[in-house]
Amino acid sequence: MTADVMFSAATDVDTAAIVGLRHRIWGTTYRGIYPDQMLDDFAWDWHHEQELRRLHDPKYAVYLIRKERQNIGYLTIHRGDVVTLQSLYIVSEYQQQGIGRCAFDLVAAYCREHGVSSFVCHCVPQNHNARKFYERMGGVVIGEDLGNEESWQDSILYRFTLA
């Protein structure tokens, strides 16, 4: 793991930071993918409530990612019938520094701890950088949900099998 990157289990105190990161990252990564109105009219209160709900649900594990004492991203894992990497968001200036790879190591450790040999994640097809990353990490496309009325609702499903 990159020595100066920390993954810490999020608590209620971190909710505002996570929602702020989501707003910032969506505003850069998803501009042109998500509707401008959805990004410009970001529903702060709704996102805050959703994040609190996740933090209190034992099926979710939420981690804040920090580097040099700054919040630079977060990840959310959901454990249902399958383990799902629900979100992995890293601010753009910290991407391509091995932090995503470290995040995948954390997800793999989580899976092993729960006796699971694979996990999945969804990706918006237009998010080409994320798709390249997932494929470099060994993700195999196992499903697609394309042709929705709103293209931002389309998704590609990747499976990652642990070594």
Side-chain angles (χ1 to χ4, degrees):
M1 187 173 293
T2 306
D4 55 350
V5 173
M6 291 181 26
F7 293 82
S8 54
T11 66
D12 289 5
V13 174
D14 299 315
T15 303
I18 290 169
V19 173
L21 284 162
R22 182 176 302 142
H23 178 259
R24 178 178 174 191
I25 293 165
W26 280 16
T28 55
T29 301
Y30 292 103
R31 185 69 64 181
I33 296 174
Y34 289 174
D36 286 342
Q37 183 176 1
M38 187 169 118
L39 299 173
D40 296 339
D41 298 339
F42 188 80
W44 289 92
D45 291 339
W46 184 85
H47 285 278
H48 192 272
E49 289 302 316
Q50 291 298 307
E51 207 53 50
L52 280 174
R53 183 183 58 77
R54 283 185 198 96
L55 289 172
H56 291 270
D57 186 333
K59 291 183 179 179
Y60 286 88
V62 182
Y63 296 88
L64 193 56
I65 305 170
R66 293 186 174 108
K67 183 174 181 173
E68 299 165 354
R69 298 184 185 180
Q70 290 186 334
N71 297 324
I72 62 163
Y74 69 95
L75 68 89
T76 304
I77 302 168
H78 179 261
R79 188 168 44 101
D81 293 337
V82 298
V83 172
T84 303
L85 174 58
Q86 186 172 351
S87 55
L88 172 57
Y89 292 125
I90 301 169
V91 295
S92 59
E93 57 265 31
Y94 289 96
Q95 293 178 7
Q96 299 184 352
Q97 296 181 21
I99 298 166
R101 184 171 299 278
C102 292
F104 263 65
D105 291 344
L106 183 130
V107 176
Y110 178 92
C111 288
R112 287 185 185 100
E113 180 180 316
H114 289 89
V116 177
S117 61
S118 67
F119 65 96
V120 299
C121 77
H122 295 268
C123 184
V124 178
Q126 299 89 339
N127 188 344
H128 300 290
N129 290 337
R131 290 180 61 190
K132 288 177 192 172
F133 170 73
Y134 292 144
E135 290 162 13
R136 279 195 315 270
M137 297 306 298
V140 175
V141 174
I142 61 167
E144 295 179 338
D145 180 11
L146 306 174
N148 288 290
E149 188 172 321
E150 301 287 342
S151 64
W152 63 272
Q153 294 175 331
D154 291 349
S155 74
I156 296 174
L157 181 63
Y158 287 93
R159 171 173 283 132
F160 301 86
T161 303
L162 305 181

